[in-house]
Amino acid sequence: MQRIDQIIKSVAIEAFRSTWKVDLQEDQLQVQKTRREFQGDFTLVVFPLLKHSKSTPEETANALGSYMVGHSEMLSGYNVIKGFLNLEVSSKYWKTLVNGDLRSPNYGFTGVEKNSPRVMIEFSSPNTNKPLHLGHIRNNLLGHSISRIMEATGHRVTSVNLVNDRGIHICKSMLAWQKDGQGESPESAGMKGDHLVGKYYVQFDRVYKAQVEEQVSLGKSRKEAEAEASILLEAREMLRKWEAGDPEVRKLWERMNGWVYEGFEETYRRLGVKFDRTYYESETYKLGKEIVLKGVAEGILYKKEDGSIWANLEDEGLDHKLLLRSDGTSVYMTQDVGTAHQRHEEVGFDSHIYVVGNEQNYHFQVLALVLKKLGFAWADKLYHLSYGMVELPEGKMKSREGTVVDADDLMDEMIKTARQMSEELGKLEGYGQDEKDQIYRQVGMGALKYFILKVDPKKNMTFDPRESVDFNGNTGPFIQYTYARIQSVLRKGAEERLPMGDLELNEKEVSLIRMMHEYPEIIQESSRTLNPSLIANFLYDLAKEFNQFYHDYSILSAESEELVEQRLLLVDVIGRIIRSGMELLGIEVPERM
Ligand code: ARG
């Protein structure tokens, strides 16, 4: 489908050629939506054209308007306000859109082909020492939605997860379990595996802090006490053994990580996210090490006296970055060098998006620079989608202290809240228990997802559970409710949808169609800017506009049978676009609620 603003441009070019014998280029023309206070649908800005028409703004606009309306079936009228030419699109044209493109199941989507660009999208990427929290929820929702949006805009998407499954933090949980766990398992504790492991991570911290305090009270400096706490030294020793392949440590590691993976899987399933591939740091860090050592051999990286390996990034305006410790163990960055290389080899990509919080901006800046230094041509194809932090109204989330907002708990809480709200409103009376539960889940999860995704990823935000389920605000449930209302209207109407005929459209109908005409561009824009909030807010505007229409006009009891048909088709199309857009956000829409 050609967009209306493009058609307007080509008609304007024709008008110009015929009137002033000047050939304009498309990019010389500015077409925008007509401002609400004026009559019209699209506005051509005439001022920049005066040097070609060599005439006044009013005369130029009038000449263009009369030519354009006379030569394009699409346009039905115009008016001129100063140097602005406001153009009206005919009812007939709007109806052609509804009868055609707008009804198509893939409206607004670009197909994926054999040689469409390949995008790798990494998201989630947890550590295996504790369960997922609110920050991961934002991460997963963004990653999942952006994957869908990229797919919808003609990219071959590979979604990947990176599990940071090795390192000192993992050893901390393992050590605490070894000391105090008395063989406890998820089964014996009746706990999700990731929660159980998280419990021992918190336990480690408790012991560590107690040891530090004790040494401080005995007169040691805090810094020393922190560096020398015996439990920390034990954890380091465990990590060394892990890297050396010590069978006992490896066995414990596998067992506890296994618990964590089972737990994560359940959380992912509830969140509705999936990955095409999962990468494990334990499998890629060695490759990273090799690449780094090769970099030293080639003189790109350098070795200090103590044997540690560094990249000098001074020419790039940064400092020096550690890549291997003096004892030869690798760091977070080393692993990312290996992982990126492996992905490029195995799958390949034209661009690689990392969905990771903004506290890692420096990390990803350095990663790209190090890879570039090492001679990887694709280093400048890495893009860090750096998102802001999420808080609950009460205050910051903290992880170490065990007061973290747990992802599973939050989902439970949301579903409970959805149930309470529905019960208070008496919305689901007469529904079976299974159906009710299904709707509570959809609404609770929809509330959570929408509230987070409607915010620009770059911004910090506060997640307000109560506000997010409000049926009357800019919320998921409001849109879901609108969708269910549409389906209820459609169920009551005739089953077959006839195309629109000769009836005129009223102002609200035109406004709804005009909004839907923007949907493809909204998807493109949210893909270009990696910003699902554009789609979220578009859906809210559309749902609001529909509700006003529903309030102002009757659908099923409209004046004539033909008008009923016309409105049913319009409503059907609105429903499809709401469902399609919500799907891009990873949000389900209930058929009734
Ligand atoms: N696991 C890391 C963390 O929790 C995030 C990993 C992000 N991805 C990456 N490729 N470095 O902080």
Side-chain angles (χ1 to χ4, degrees):
M1 180 183 88
Q2 217 190 347
R3 283 188 0 232
I4 295 179
D5 48 337
Q6 270 158 357
I7 302 177
I8 290 179
K9 283 183 186 175
S10 56
V11 182
I13 289 173
E14 206 185 292
F16 230 87
R17 191 182 299 130
S18 139
T19 317
W20 291 286
K21 316 285 174 247
V22 178
D23 274 319
L24 293 180
Q25 300 302 311
E26 258 196 35
D27 57 10
Q28 291 173 280
L29 296 165
Q30 269 182 53
V31 178
Q32 25 184 267
K33 278 191 285 183
T34 301
R35 300 238 303 266
R36 272 198 180 262
E37 60 267 37
F38 300 125
Q39 173 139 359
D41 298 299
F42 292 86
T43 296
L44 181 70
V45 187
V46 175
F47 295 109
L49 310 175
L50 303 180
K51 56 177 177 286
H52 302 291
S53 67
K54 304 198 170 59
S55 158
T56 66
E58 283 77 11
E59 269 170 23
T60 308
N62 274 304
L64 279 174
S66 99
Y67 181 99
M68 289 172 73
V69 171
H71 288 78
S72 167
E73 287 251 304
M74 186 181 84
L75 299 172
S76 57
Y78 75 93
N79 62 79
V80 175
I81 310 273
K82 304 225 167 88
F84 296 99
L85 170 60
N86 301 323
L87 295 155
E88 281 164 51
V89 173
S90 71
S91 248
K92 190 161 167 229
Y93 190 82
W94 290 126
K95 284 187 287 189
T96 325
L97 282 187
V98 178
N99 291 337
D101 291 317
L102 263 58
R103 292 177 89 169
S104 116
N106 294 323
Y107 173 58
F109 286 40
T110 319
V112 177
E113 278 152 30
K114 243 194 15 250
N115 34 22
S116 300
R118 288 169 306 175
V119 186
M120 183 151 296
I121 304 182
E122 184 204 285
F123 61 99
S124 204
S125 304
N127 301 332
T128 55
N129 58 333
K130 54 183 181 214
L132 305 184
H133 54 70
L134 179 53
H136 289 112
I137 291 191
R138 190 174 197 188
N139 182 310
N140 282 294
L141 299 180
L142 283 171
H144 178 77
S145 177
I146 287 168
S147 304
R148 297 233 114 136
I149 294 169
M150 291 305 258
E151 242 156 42
T153 48
H155 298 84
R156 285 182 287 160
V157 172
T158 309
S159 59
V160 295
N161 191 358
L162 169 72
V163 184
N164 293 109
D165 60 345
R166 64 165 289 282
I168 190 74
H169 47 300
I170 317 293
C171 290
K172 289 178 181 175
S173 316
M174 282 160 60
L175 187 65
W177 182 87
Q178 210 177 38
K179 284 180 176 297
D180 300 326
Q182 294 170 326
E184 193 174 37
S185 70
E187 296 78 45
S188 75
M191 233 170 148
K192 257 178 104 228
D194 50 338
H195 289 229
L196 184 70
V197 172
K199 178 176 124 181
Y200 287 100
Y201 187 65
V202 173
Q203 165 70 4
F204 175 94
D205 203 55
R206 206 176 295 137
V207 174
Y208 172 72
K209 281 199 175 122
Q211 287 184 354
V212 171
E213 289 317 317
E214 196 190 329
Q215 291 303 312
V216 169
S217 72
L218 291 175
K220 252 197 199 152
S221 80
R222 182 161 294 274
K223 215 176 154 202
E224 244 180 313
E226 280 175 357
E228 290 168 15
S230 69
I231 195 163
L232 182 64
L233 301 183
E234 279 180 84
R236 288 236 176 87
E237 175 58 12
M238 194 179 231
L239 178 61
R240 198 196 54 74
K241 281 184 168 168
W242 184 93
E243 289 213 10
D246 179 282
E248 216 171 297
V249 172
R250 287 289 177 131
K251 214 170 123 198
L252 176 62
W253 173 73
E254 265 167 31
R255 183 157 181 229
M256 289 182 74
N257 271 356
W259 295 342
V260 172
Y261 297 140
E262 270 178 32
F264 283 174
E265 211 167 290
E266 193 181 325
T267 308
Y268 288 143
R269 186 183 49 73
R270 292 184 74 193
L271 268 176
V273 305
K274 279 207 178 84
F275 307 95
D276 296 318
R277 279 168 186 255
T278 300
Y279 289 82
Y280 297 90
E281 171 175 349
S282 60
E283 291 167 5
T284 60
Y285 83 102
K286 280 200 180 131
L287 178 58
K289 247 175 165 169
E290 277 169 31
I291 297 172
V292 167
L293 291 173
K294 197 163 152 256
V296 180
E298 289 168 358
I300 300 168
L301 306 172
Y302 74 95
K303 193 183 247 174
K304 278 196 184 164
E305 261 168 34
D306 65 358
S308 56
I309 312 276
W310 298 75
N312 177 354
L313 301 174
E314 277 174 23
D315 287 349
E316 288 82 1
L318 296 177
D319 50 4
H320 292 233
K321 173 70 197 167
L322 175 74
L323 293 173
L324 286 178
R325 295 197 191 91
S326 59
D327 63 2
T329 57
S330 75
V331 294
Y332 181 47
M333 187 65 73
T334 330
Q335 157 277 135
D336 260 324
V337 168
T339 312
H341 176 72
Q342 186 167 334
R343 286 175 183 166
H344 193 265
E345 290 291 294
E346 271 180 14
V347 187
F349 51 77
D350 299 303
S351 64
H352 186 324
I353 300 166
Y354 291 91
V355 182
V356 182
N358 58 16
E359 70 278 2
Q360 295 197 25
N361 286 355
Y362 173 76
H363 174 79
F364 283 99
Q365 195 187 353
V366 171
L367 175 62
L369 291 175
V370 168
L371 287 167
K372 200 177 175 86
K373 249 189 176 349
L374 289 167
F376 295 109
W378 43 266
D380 54 5
K381 306 284 186 227
L382 306 188
Y383 180 81
H384 175 203
L385 172 62
S386 154
Y387 63 88
M389 149 161 177
V390 212
E391 295 173 345
L392 283 191
E394 291 85 339
K396 256 190 179 174
M397 311 187 308
K398 300 195 186 92
S399 74
R400 293 292 146 85
E401 288 77 5
T403 53
V404 56
V405 184
D406 177 78
D408 297 311
D409 293 350
L410 185 63
M411 288 192 276
D412 289 342
E413 199 55 38
M414 291 307 299
I415 295 168
K416 209 170 94 195
T417 312
R419 173 189 316 248
Q420 280 165 0
M421 297 277 270
S422 298
E423 280 169 0
E424 273 165 35
L425 297 170
K427 275 198 192 297
L428 297 181
E429 272 148 31
Y431 286 51
Q433 194 55 49
D434 282 357
E435 195 179 4
K436 277 188 185 169
D437 286 342
Q438 156 98 333
I439 296 173
Y440 298 146
R441 184 186 59 76
Q442 289 175 327
V443 172
M445 291 303 296
L448 173 63
K449 292 180 176 184
Y450 184 85
F451 202 87
I452 287 181
L453 290 174
K454 77 171 178 181
V455 180
D456 183 324
K458 302 236 174 307
K459 295 199 172 126
N460 290 345
M461 64 172 293
T462 303
F463 175 68
D464 187 333
R466 273 316 275 190
E467 196 186 322
S468 76
V469 256
D470 184 349
F471 283 91
N472 296 310
N474 180 1
T475 65
F478 168 74
I479 298 170
Q480 288 173 318
Y481 185 66
T482 305
Y483 177 80
R485 169 179 271 176
I486 286 175
Q487 298 315 307
S488 142
V489 171
L490 294 174
R491 274 193 299 275
K492 289 184 202 135
E495 237 164 68
E496 204 192 348
R497 288 285 103 72
L498 300 174
M500 290 186 171
D502 292 331
L503 293 180
E504 278 297 308
L505 296 167
N506 66 39
E507 208 185 316
K508 273 266 170 286
E509 289 163 335
V510 168
S511 147
L512 281 162
I513 303 170
R514 193 171 43 214
M515 285 177 103
M516 293 191 282
H517 168 259
E518 276 173 45
Y519 182 53
E521 183 49 28
I522 301 276
I523 301 179
Q524 291 295 337
E525 184 65 13
S526 69
S527 168
R528 275 194 292 274
T529 56
L530 304 180
N531 183 359
S533 78
L534 302 177
I535 294 176
N537 289 292
F538 165 81
L539 292 175
Y540 173 61
D541 290 339
L542 182 63
K544 220 169 38 180
E545 190 74 6
F546 166 79
N547 282 306
Q548 276 171 24
F549 169 70
Y550 183 81
H551 176 267
D552 293 351
Y553 297 94
S554 20
I555 299 168
L556 293 166
S557 44
E559 294 90 271
S560 70
E561 192 51 34
E562 210 190 340
L563 193 54
V564 173
E565 297 285 355
Q566 171 165 305
R567 290 192 176 156
L568 279 173
L569 176 57
L570 180 68
V571 169
D572 190 354
V573 167
I574 297 169
R576 283 162 192 270
I577 290 181
I578 291 180
R579 187 174 53 219
S580 149
M582 290 291 258
E583 234 167 68
L584 291 176
L585 302 177
I587 302 176
E588 293 174 52
V589 282
E591 294 300 304
R592 358 189 258 161
M593 71 186 253

